[in-house]
Amino acid sequence: MSAPSMTLYYNPASPFSRKVLVLLHETGQTNRVSLKPVNVTPVNPNNDLCQENPAGKLPALCLADGNVLHDSRVILDYLDHQHVGNPLIPREGSARWRRLTLASLADALLDAAVLIRYETFLRPAQKQWAEWLDNQQEKIARSLSYFEQEAVTELSSHFDIASISLAAGLGYLDLRQPDLGWRSRYPRLGAWYYEVCQRPSMIATQPPA
Ligand code: BEZ
């Protein structure tokens, strides 16, 4: 087996990092990437990471030729072009735009959930902005409702960019908002998520408890 030619800056709790890890497992590319865990928050940047990605954000993928890719959407697109199996991002046609749009909605959910985490975990309680938090939470609720009502059948058809992104988001909600109770409000999504959690790629990338 050859040595990994790429390095991934990641954090095991980051849902954006998890998207990349799941795709690496699904496409049989884990041995091509060495993993560099970093702890980073908006108020605690990591110097090594900032040199590779000036935005200081995870994940970032350093390629063998010295180029660095970010963010997670760009990395997933790149890695999906590096394997010979079925693409996890449809290359053309209406499926491409539909699955990318579902992935974008899942990413919006991830963004809102991570921002809520920063606001509630990092920001002093007396400075927290309740109305802003409520609106982030409503963004999550609207997204979940859309997936439940409009997309769960489509999601079940392929485990691809859209499914990976939503699965990473639901895993993150379970990690950081364990009392949210989303499964009772979105039971079809709960059943779908239960199934996808049996996949080796999801088991291997579970965030730390
Ligand atoms: C978290 O611990 O929730 C987290 C870590 C890295 C990136 C985003 C979120």
Side-chain angles (χ1 to χ4, degrees):
M1 192 195 300
S2 55
S5 59
M6 300 179 271
T7 301
L8 180 69
Y9 284 77
Y10 84 112
N11 182 289
S14 154
F16 295 99
S17 300
R18 192 177 187 194
K19 285 168 49 185
V20 178
L21 296 174
V22 170
L23 184 132
L24 285 171
H25 280 271
E26 290 287 335
T27 58
Q29 298 188 78
T30 51
N31 61 357
R32 303 186 60 214
V33 177
S34 74
L35 298 179
K36 187 155 176 161
V38 285
N39 285 319
V40 53
T41 73
V43 291
N44 180 27
N46 175 279
N47 287 338
D48 289 350
L49 174 63
C50 286
Q51 288 190 358
E52 306 293 3
N53 175 5
K57 293 174 82 173
L58 294 169
L61 183 69
C62 305
L63 307 184
D65 64 5
N67 280 309
V68 181
L69 303 183
H70 50 80
D71 57 6
S72 64
R73 297 180 208 208
V74 177
I75 297 173
L76 262 68
D77 197 354
Y78 174 80
L79 291 173
D80 197 37
H81 281 80
Q82 306 302 312
H83 68 99
V84 293
N86 286 334
L88 299 190
I89 305 173
R91 297 282 195 264
E92 57 194 11
S94 58
R96 174 173 174 79
W97 309 117
R98 176 63 178 163
R99 302 306 278 205
L100 284 174
T101 298
L102 291 177
S104 164
L105 184 61
D107 278 355
L109 183 156
L110 266 59
D111 271 331
V114 170
L115 288 173
I116 289 170
R117 169 70 176 169
Y118 290 153
E119 181 77 1
T120 53
F121 185 69
L122 296 176
R123 206 166 160 85
Q126 69 277 14
K127 292 188 176 169
Q128 288 174 18
W129 187 3
E131 197 182 351
W132 182 90
L133 279 169
D134 288 347
N135 275 278
Q136 296 300 328
Q137 205 66 57
E138 280 167 23
K139 193 182 294 193
I140 293 173
R142 285 195 305 271
S143 305
L144 291 176
S145 178
Y146 181 87
F147 281 117
E148 171 82 5
Q149 288 168 28
E150 307 288 342
V152 80
T153 308
E154 286 169 78
L155 288 170
S156 305
S157 68
H158 298 96
F159 195 68
D160 67 354
I161 178 91
S163 313
I164 290 172
S165 304
L166 181 60
L170 294 173
Y172 188 71
L173 287 179
D174 282 350
L175 178 70
R176 295 300 182 216
Q177 299 192 30
D179 300 327
L180 185 61
W182 63 267
R183 286 173 179 77
S184 57
R185 266 172 288 151
Y186 314 106
R188 298 171 73 204
L189 219 43
W192 171 81
Y193 184 63
Y194 176 83
E195 286 300 322
V196 300
C197 280
Q198 314 307 312
R199 300 180 77 89
S201 63
M202 289 293 290
I203 294 169
T205 61
Q206 267 172 1

